[in-house]
Amino acid sequence: MGTSTARKAPPKGAYWRKAKTAAAHYAAHGEAARLSVAEVVARYAVAVAPVGWDSQPDQNLLEATARTAAALNRFYETWEAQGWQRALAQLGIAAHAGHNWEALMPALLDALAGPGAHLAEAVARTALLDHFAAMGLLDDVAAAVTGNVDAPPLPPGDGAWHFLALALFHRYIADMGETLEFHAPSVAAGRERQEAIRAHFLAQLNLLLSLTGEEDGWQSQPLTWVENFLGLLANYHGR
């Protein structure tokens, strides 16, 4: 089927082929493509969305994303209420001056996303690093190591949702990155296409957030919340 080497295509082969075709066309033509970024992302979401379709979804993708987002939410809640060191302690990580960043970050990724034993966990770890970098946490190494980080960079829910958008983007790249790179006219153009797709995931999360359910639903059923968001993303291009 010519799928990415990241994994085999999901059962919905026709939708998967349409997603790959859309990615190839957009990579080749960029803003001049007949398909918008929204259409390209929506076709991918249709291929993996569990809501309203005939075949089983990729549960590893959804479960790892939801599990990590919920863990990050709890971590930020504890950090906000009780401080950085207490938040790390609840994850089983001792934050003290003797820690170096090279030891602390892998432990944090392990605790929040798992060891990366399969692709879904590896993607979650990559998205967490992307999230932490975007929040500036990787810049203030000394403060993080010594435990002098005053507060989380975003409220707990906002931090988890930002991670969620990045996790879906990085899974898209894991599945479609090879297609984007092959069909892009240059390396620079390929990177521009990927950045546009990344920005779309982030923008759509903010736009569709109110449609995914109340905050209580996110807290009690994170997997359902993620499934609802993915379903909205799949259908949004037709609105």
Side-chain angles (χ1 to χ4, degrees), residues 10-12 14-16 18 42-58 62 227-237:
K12 293 181 288 187
Y15 293 111
W16 187 251
K18 289 180 180 180
R43 288 194 182 191
Y44 174 75
V46 166
V48 297
V51 181
W53 305 107
D54 295 332
S55 55
Q56 293 297 315
D58 180 352
L62 300 176
E227 291 175 348
N228 289 343
F229 173 72
L230 193 59
L232 288 169
L233 193 63
N235 291 304
Y236 185 75
H237 71 281

Side-chain angles (χ1 to χ4, degrees), residues 85-97:
Q85 292 194 33
R86 180 59 180 166
L88 289 180
Q90 285 200 351
L91 294 177
I93 303 171
H96 55 75

